[in-house]
Amino acid sequence: MTADSAVETLSYPAPDVVRDLVERAIARGAMVTLFGPCTVEYEGRAASSLGPGDRHVTLKPDGAALVHTDEGQQPVNWQPPGCDHSVAVADGALVVRSERTTPEEELEITFETVAHAAAFDVSDPEELAVTGTEADLKERVLDAPDLVESGFTPLATERETPAGAVDVYGEDAAGRTVVVELKRRRVGPDAVGQLDRYVEALRRDLHADTEVRGILVAPSVTDRARQLLAEKGLEFVSLEPP
Amino acid sequence: MTADSAVETLSYPAPDVVRDLVERAIARGAMVTLFGPCTVEYEGRAASSLGPGDRHVTLKPDGAALVHTDEGQQPVNWQPPGCDHSVAVADGALVVRSERTTPEEELEITFETVAHAAAFDVSDPEELAVTGTEADLKERVLDAPDLVESGFTPLATERETPAGAVDVYGEDAAGRTVVVELKRRRVGPDAVGQLDRYVEALRRDLHADTEVRGILVAPSVTDRARQLLAEKGLEFVSLEPP
DNA sequence: GGGTGTATTTCGCCG
DNA sequence: CGGCGAAGTACACCC
């Protein structure tokens, strides 16, 4: 992370020269990038084929692989962390392969030419600190339960039910059981379904005479979600992460 | 996409030299990559802070920005396509900013040092061809409806209901309405909820005497999903994409 | 631009 | 390892 970070680069190198650079880089745990005209084949959970074009390829020391075009935030092809990267020269082309098992997946990138190759020694001790998440919204609710409803008392978080864990479990001023489902942003029908599953599971699980209320806490809901809430007899409280 | 792809690179350049390279590259629609020790601040839909460390930064001509560490398939920070990239020198550091509106979002990367900078002219005329998707599974069902059930007749795809569009809508050998929800891979409780919403919506919408069956078509289901299917009186057929 | 659903989602947590 | 749900999810499609 200091100015002595080792960087090795090549411009329009011969295939065997790139191969050696990449092999050495992988061996020492460096990050590799390649750029140039290539084709990409993938087979695994699905299958894909990408004809010739210029792409930017990243091989990470944790085994992840990324193929980026000039468009989009997402890579056009990729491989998750934990893969084995290998590189070879075949018919004058550089072939990069990244494979894994469980599930069996393989990515193969064939460079007609490598326009640029680089190896970076990376040191990154820092963790990303994010705020505005659902966890922050939960803290806000636990710190001030009245934001949900006057008299609401949280009793547990992540309380287990046969349908999964409830975000916040508690009771209202009248002693009725309350299930709170938190969402950090505007929600659609899926979140209502989720809350409903928890409420139904608790109604089954608790004694038949126990009343169970379900409250969706989010900044806002879509029309369809609001209608679903009404149909299911569930409630909504508008609240956002701090 | 040929060997004459223009690539411009710099090793440990002075900040103002990188700034000029980046500005020229952005102006001509090239892709930019930077590597070196930096900090990253984000504020928008959420907010995040990342302390000093080595990262690889990509600025795409469509306005996307990516910040990658040595780990993970996902960027540690990013900006979606459509953002405005700008670069400046402040206190001897290179500051890269990427911003957009609706929603208001800003990403700021401050390089203590730039170890490597590159600009790539990208030409990529090809589209990715993927197989094994839900669309392929749908075709398989439409080509051979008996795979769902002997006597099943598809009548429409993407049929609209008050709860959203049904994947495949049809009728069984007895003339009963059938709603088919397709999933390309093993499914959990959420898919059952989705199917149930469609079935319930159609039961409301059609005449009260119309029987509506719901069939989940996927390679497999989890235990909880299977239980939910039973509770809701829905069915499951095992089928995978070709 | 918002709503809805898919994705080779990825990722983290937990049993 | 699989199940489950969150994510600044991204992305496509339709209104």
Side-chain angles (χ1 to χ4, degrees):
Chain A
M1 58 175 280
T2 49
D4 61 359
S5 299
V7 177
E8 212 177 339
T9 68
L10 300 169
S11 279
Y12 292 102
D16 57 329
V17 177
V18 194
R19 181 197 57 206
D20 293 351
L21 171 84
V22 174
E23 283 181 347
R24 273 183 289 118
I26 290 174
R28 74 170 190 269
M31 182 159 75
V32 173
T33 67
L34 302 168
F35 177 80
C38 61
T39 60
V40 187
E41 302 295 322
Y42 159 76
E43 186 152 357
R45 286 169 289 175
S48 74
S49 186
L50 183 62
D54 297 330
R55 283 115 206 178
H56 184 276
V57 173
T58 306
L59 303 179
K60 290 195 180 188
D62 69 355
L66 304 168
V67 183
H68 275 278
T69 69
D70 57 340
E71 290 183 338
Q73 194 222 294
Q74 293 302 124
V76 64
N77 277 114
W78 69 92
Q79 205 69 301
C83 294
D84 285 322
H85 300 321
S86 61
V87 61
V89 177
D91 297 329
L94 185 80
V95 180
V96 178
R97 296 177 96 225
S98 174
E99 21 192 352
R100 70 160 174 171
T101 52
T102 52
E104 193 80 31
E105 285 191 302
E106 181 186 319
L107 181 69
E108 187 174 276
I109 311 160
T110 304
F111 280 93
E112 178 191 316
T113 309
V114 174
H116 180 73
F120 304 106
D121 289 319
V122 187
S123 164
D124 190 347
E126 291 290 332
E127 289 295 312
L128 182 73
V130 193
T131 59
T133 65
E134 182 180 303
D136 294 311
L137 179 56
K138 183 191 293 184
E139 277 199 32
R140 195 175 175 204
V141 163
L142 295 179
D143 284 357
D146 281 5
L147 289 174
V148 173
E149 178 180 281
S150 175
F152 172 60
T153 307
L155 298 173
T157 66
E158 307 304 322
R159 184 196 190 279
E160 284 300 332
T161 76
V166 167
D167 283 342
V168 181
Y169 174 89
E171 59 181 32
D172 66 13
R176 287 179 294 241
T177 296
V178 176
V179 172
V180 175
E181 174 63 29
L182 303 168
K183 294 292 171 190
R184 66 172 298 278
R185 59 173 208 173
R186 182 175 177 85
V187 297
D190 52 335
V192 181
Q194 199 180 337
L195 174 58
D196 187 52
R197 291 203 300 277
Y198 299 148
V199 170
E200 286 301 316
L202 277 175
R203 282 186 184 143
R204 262 176 245 267
D205 233 35
L206 303 175
H207 292 87
D209 58 347
T210 310
E211 200 171 334
V212 181
R213 296 173 57 198
I215 306 181
L216 184 58
V217 173
S220 59
V221 294
T222 66
D223 282 350
R224 202 113 83 186
R226 190 178 293 277
Q227 186 152 348
L228 259 180
L229 284 167
E231 283 174 20
K232 306 278 190 183
L234 302 172
E235 303 163 59
F236 167 69
V237 169
S238 176
L239 196 59
E240 9 189 343
Chain B
M1 55 176 280
T2 49
D4 61 356
S5 298
V7 177
E8 211 177 341
T9 68
L10 298 169
S11 278
Y12 292 102
D16 56 330
V17 177
V18 194
R19 181 197 59 206
D20 292 351
L21 171 84
V22 174
E23 282 180 348
R24 273 183 289 118
I26 290 174
R28 73 169 189 270
M31 182 159 75
V32 173
T33 67
L34 302 169
F35 177 81
C38 61
T39 60
V40 187
E41 302 295 322
Y42 160 76
E43 187 152 357
R45 286 170 287 174
S48 74
S49 186
L50 182 62
D54 297 330
R55 284 116 205 178
H56 184 276
V57 173
T58 306
L59 304 179
K60 291 195 179 188
D62 69 355
L66 303 168
V67 183
H68 274 278
T69 69
D70 56 340
E71 290 182 340
Q73 193 220 296
Q74 294 302 125
V76 64
N77 277 114
W78 70 93
Q79 206 68 302
C83 293
D84 287 322
H85 301 321
S86 62
V87 61
V89 177
D91 299 328
L94 185 80
V95 181
V96 178
R97 296 177 94 222
S98 174
E99 20 191 354
R100 70 160 175 171
T101 53
T102 50
E104 193 79 34
E105 286 189 299
E106 182 187 319
L107 181 69
E108 187 175 276
I109 311 160
T110 304
F111 280 92
E112 178 192 315
T113 308
V114 174
H116 179 74
F120 304 105
D121 289 321
V122 188
S123 165
D124 189 346
E126 291 291 332
E127 288 295 312
L128 182 72
V130 193
T131 59
T133 65
E134 183 180 302
D136 295 310
L137 179 57
K138 184 191 293 182
E139 277 199 34
R140 195 176 175 201
V141 164
L142 295 180
D143 285 357
D146 282 4
L147 288 174
V148 173
E149 177 180 280
S150 175
F152 172 60
T153 307
L155 297 173
T157 66
E158 307 303 322
R159 184 197 191 279
E160 283 300 331
T161 76
V166 167
D167 283 342
V168 180
Y169 174 89
E171 60 183 29
D172 66 13
R176 285 179 293 241
T177 296
V178 175
V179 172
V180 175
E181 174 62 29
L182 303 168
K183 294 293 170 190
R184 65 172 299 278
R185 56 172 216 173
R186 183 175 175 85
V187 296
D190 52 336
V192 181
Q194 198 180 339
L195 175 57
D196 187 54
R197 290 204 300 278
Y198 299 147
V199 170
E200 286 301 317
L202 277 175
R203 283 186 183 143
R204 262 176 245 267
D205 233 34
L206 303 176
H207 293 87
D209 57 349
T210 311
E211 200 172 332
V212 181
R213 296 173 57 199
I215 306 181
L216 184 59
V217 172
S220 59
V221 294
T222 65
D223 283 349
R224 201 112 85 186
R226 191 179 291 277
Q227 187 152 351
L228 260 181
L229 284 168
E231 283 174 21
K232 306 277 189 183
L234 302 172
E235 303 162 58
F236 166 68
V237 169
S238 176
L239 196 59
E240 12 189 343

